[in-house]
Short mmCIF file of all heavy atoms in Angstrom, two decimals:
data_model
loop_
_atom_site.label_atom_id
_atom_site.label_comp_id
_atom_site.label_asym_id
_atom_site.label_seq_id
_atom_site.Cartn_x
_atom_site.Cartn_y
_atom_site.Cartn_z
N TYR A 87 175.96 60.04 206.97
CA TYR A 87 176.44 58.62 207.27
C TYR A 87 175.27 57.86 207.89
O TYR A 87 174.40 58.37 208.54
CB TYR A 87 177.63 58.63 208.15
CG TYR A 87 177.34 58.92 209.62
CD1 TYR A 87 177.01 57.93 210.50
CD2 TYR A 87 177.35 60.26 210.13
CE1 TYR A 87 176.71 58.17 211.86
CE2 TYR A 87 177.12 60.49 211.43
CZ TYR A 87 176.76 59.45 212.24
OH TYR A 87 176.47 59.68 213.55
N GLN A 88 175.33 56.58 207.64
CA GLN A 88 174.29 55.61 208.23
C GLN A 88 175.08 54.58 208.98
O GLN A 88 176.21 54.24 208.79
CB GLN A 88 173.56 54.97 207.12
CG GLN A 88 172.76 55.88 206.18
CD GLN A 88 171.71 56.63 206.99
OE1 GLN A 88 170.90 56.08 207.74
NE2 GLN A 88 171.69 57.92 206.79
N SER A 89 174.38 54.06 210.00
CA SER A 89 174.90 52.93 210.82
C SER A 89 173.81 51.89 210.91
O SER A 89 172.72 52.18 211.25
CB SER A 89 175.32 53.52 212.22
OG SER A 89 175.89 52.47 212.95
N GLU A 90 174.21 50.63 210.62
CA GLU A 90 173.30 49.56 210.77
C GLU A 90 173.39 48.93 212.06
O GLU A 90 174.44 48.60 212.62
CB GLU A 90 173.71 48.50 209.65
CG GLU A 90 173.70 48.99 208.23
CD GLU A 90 172.36 49.18 207.61
OE1 GLU A 90 171.37 48.68 208.19
OE2 GLU A 90 172.23 49.80 206.52
N SER A 91 172.18 48.54 212.63
CA SER A 91 172.13 47.82 213.93
C SER A 91 172.02 46.27 213.66
O SER A 91 172.20 45.52 214.57
CB SER A 91 170.95 48.34 214.70
OG SER A 91 169.76 48.16 214.05
N ALA A 92 171.73 45.94 212.42
CA ALA A 92 171.64 44.44 212.06
C ALA A 92 172.27 44.31 210.69
O ALA A 92 172.35 45.24 209.90
CB ALA A 92 170.15 43.95 212.07
N ASP A 93 172.59 43.17 210.35
CA ASP A 93 173.11 42.79 209.04
C ASP A 93 172.23 43.29 207.91
O ASP A 93 171.09 42.88 207.86
CB ASP A 93 173.34 41.28 208.88
CG ASP A 93 174.07 40.84 207.63
OD1 ASP A 93 174.25 41.73 206.74
OD2 ASP A 93 174.57 39.74 207.59
N PRO A 94 172.64 44.23 207.04
CA PRO A 94 171.74 44.78 206.05
C PRO A 94 171.53 44.00 204.78
O PRO A 94 170.72 44.29 203.96
CB PRO A 94 172.49 46.12 205.72
CG PRO A 94 173.87 45.77 205.91
CD PRO A 94 174.00 44.85 207.08
N PHE A 95 172.31 42.87 204.73
CA PHE A 95 172.32 42.09 203.47
C PHE A 95 171.48 40.87 203.52
O PHE A 95 171.14 40.30 204.58
CB PHE A 95 173.75 41.52 203.24
CG PHE A 95 174.81 42.65 203.23
CD1 PHE A 95 175.82 42.76 204.10
CD2 PHE A 95 174.66 43.67 202.27
CE1 PHE A 95 176.73 43.76 204.11
CE2 PHE A 95 175.61 44.73 202.22
CZ PHE A 95 176.68 44.79 203.11
N VAL A 96 170.99 40.43 202.31
CA VAL A 96 170.14 39.27 202.19
C VAL A 96 170.76 38.03 202.78
O VAL A 96 170.20 37.34 203.56
CB VAL A 96 169.73 39.07 200.64
CG1 VAL A 96 169.11 37.74 200.46
CG2 VAL A 96 168.89 40.22 200.19
N ASP A 97 172.05 37.81 202.41
CA ASP A 97 172.74 36.70 203.04
C ASP A 97 174.24 36.85 202.92
O ASP A 97 174.93 36.37 202.00
CB ASP A 97 172.35 35.35 202.25
CG ASP A 97 172.85 34.10 202.95
OD1 ASP A 97 173.64 34.13 203.83
OD2 ASP A 97 172.31 33.03 202.49
N SER A 98 174.80 37.69 203.90
CA SER A 98 176.25 37.90 203.80
C SER A 98 177.11 36.66 203.97
O SER A 98 178.19 36.68 203.40
CB SER A 98 176.58 38.98 204.89
OG SER A 98 176.26 38.48 206.17
N ALA A 99 176.63 35.70 204.67
CA ALA A 99 177.47 34.44 204.84
C ALA A 99 177.69 33.81 203.45
O ALA A 99 178.76 33.17 203.21
CB ALA A 99 176.74 33.47 205.74
N GLU A 100 176.71 33.91 202.58
CA GLU A 100 176.83 33.33 201.22
C GLU A 100 177.27 34.42 200.15
O GLU A 100 177.10 34.21 198.98
CB GLU A 100 175.53 32.74 200.79
CG GLU A 100 175.15 31.53 201.69
CD GLU A 100 176.14 30.30 201.53
OE1 GLU A 100 176.74 30.19 200.54
OE2 GLU A 100 176.27 29.58 202.49
N ARG A 101 177.64 35.54 200.70
CA ARG A 101 178.12 36.74 199.82
C ARG A 101 177.05 37.24 198.88
O ARG A 101 177.33 37.73 197.83
CB ARG A 101 179.33 36.34 199.04
CG ARG A 101 180.49 35.68 199.84
CD ARG A 101 180.99 36.71 200.79
NE ARG A 101 182.24 36.38 201.40
CZ ARG A 101 182.37 36.08 202.70
NH1 ARG A 101 181.35 36.03 203.51
NH2 ARG A 101 183.59 35.71 203.21
N ASP A 102 175.78 37.21 199.37
CA ASP A 102 174.75 37.91 198.67
C ASP A 102 174.60 39.30 199.33
O ASP A 102 173.89 39.37 200.40
CB ASP A 102 173.40 37.19 198.74
CG ASP A 102 172.28 37.75 197.96
OD1 ASP A 102 172.44 39.04 197.52
OD2 ASP A 102 171.28 37.11 197.73
N PHE A 103 175.12 40.32 198.73
CA PHE A 103 175.15 41.63 199.34
C PHE A 103 174.04 42.59 198.85
O PHE A 103 174.12 43.74 198.98
CB PHE A 103 176.54 42.26 199.14
CG PHE A 103 177.62 41.50 199.76
CD1 PHE A 103 178.67 40.94 199.02
CD2 PHE A 103 177.62 41.27 201.15
CE1 PHE A 103 179.63 40.19 199.57
CE2 PHE A 103 178.61 40.58 201.79
CZ PHE A 103 179.65 39.98 201.00
N HIS A 104 172.96 41.97 198.33
CA HIS A 104 171.75 42.80 198.06
C HIS A 104 171.13 43.25 199.35
O HIS A 104 171.28 42.50 200.32
CB HIS A 104 170.83 41.92 197.27
CG HIS A 104 171.22 41.66 195.79
ND1 HIS A 104 172.14 40.61 195.50
CD2 HIS A 104 170.98 42.29 194.62
CE1 HIS A 104 172.30 40.61 194.21
NE2 HIS A 104 171.64 41.56 193.70
N LEU A 105 170.53 44.34 199.38
CA LEU A 105 170.02 44.87 200.61
C LEU A 105 168.74 44.17 201.04
O LEU A 105 167.87 43.90 200.21
CB LEU A 105 169.80 46.42 200.46
CG LEU A 105 170.92 47.25 200.27
CD1 LEU A 105 170.57 48.72 199.98
CD2 LEU A 105 171.91 47.17 201.50
N LYS A 106 168.52 44.08 202.31
CA LYS A 106 167.26 43.63 202.87
C LYS A 106 166.31 44.90 202.85
O LYS A 106 166.84 46.05 202.83
CB LYS A 106 167.32 43.24 204.38
CG LYS A 106 168.09 41.93 204.54
CD LYS A 106 168.18 41.70 206.10
CE LYS A 106 168.96 40.51 206.39
NZ LYS A 106 169.17 40.26 207.76
N ALA A 107 165.04 44.75 202.92
CA ALA A 107 164.09 45.85 202.94
C ALA A 107 164.35 46.74 204.15
O ALA A 107 163.99 47.83 204.25
CB ALA A 107 162.66 45.26 202.91
N THR A 108 164.83 46.13 205.31
CA THR A 108 165.00 46.84 206.53
C THR A 108 166.32 47.56 206.66
O THR A 108 166.57 48.15 207.70
CB THR A 108 164.82 45.82 207.68
OG1 THR A 108 165.75 44.80 207.54
CG2 THR A 108 163.43 45.30 207.79
N ALA A 109 167.21 47.50 205.71
CA ALA A 109 168.51 48.08 205.77
C ALA A 109 168.39 49.59 205.86
O ALA A 109 167.69 50.29 205.18
CB ALA A 109 169.37 47.68 204.57
N SER A 110 169.25 50.23 206.77
CA SER A 110 169.32 51.70 206.87
C SER A 110 169.85 52.27 205.62
O SER A 110 169.66 53.50 205.40
CB SER A 110 170.29 52.11 207.98
OG SER A 110 169.71 51.57 209.31
N ALA A 111 170.63 51.57 204.83
CA ALA A 111 171.19 52.05 203.58
C ALA A 111 170.15 52.26 202.47
O ALA A 111 170.45 52.95 201.50
CB ALA A 111 172.26 51.05 203.05
N LYS A 112 168.98 51.80 202.66
CA LYS A 112 167.98 51.88 201.62
C LYS A 112 167.41 53.30 201.54
O LYS A 112 167.03 53.87 202.62
CB LYS A 112 166.80 50.89 202.03
CG LYS A 112 165.75 50.77 200.95
CD LYS A 112 164.87 49.60 201.29
CE LYS A 112 163.50 49.75 200.84
NZ LYS A 112 162.58 50.58 201.59
N ASP A 113 167.42 53.90 200.40
CA ASP A 113 166.91 55.24 200.18
C ASP A 113 167.63 56.33 201.01
O ASP A 113 167.07 57.40 201.29
CB ASP A 113 165.41 55.34 200.52
CG ASP A 113 164.56 54.47 199.58
OD1 ASP A 113 164.91 54.37 198.46
OD2 ASP A 113 163.52 53.91 200.11
#
Side-chain angles (χ1 to χ4, degrees):
Y87 77 86
Q88 300 297 311
S89 182
E90 301 284 347
S91 58
D93 188 342
F95 306 118
V96 169
D97 192 349
S98 58
E100 296 296 329
R101 306 297 191 249
D102 183 349
F103 298 118
H104 291 82
L105 295 175
K106 291 179 183 173
T108 56
S110 295
K112 190 170 149 278
D113 296 323

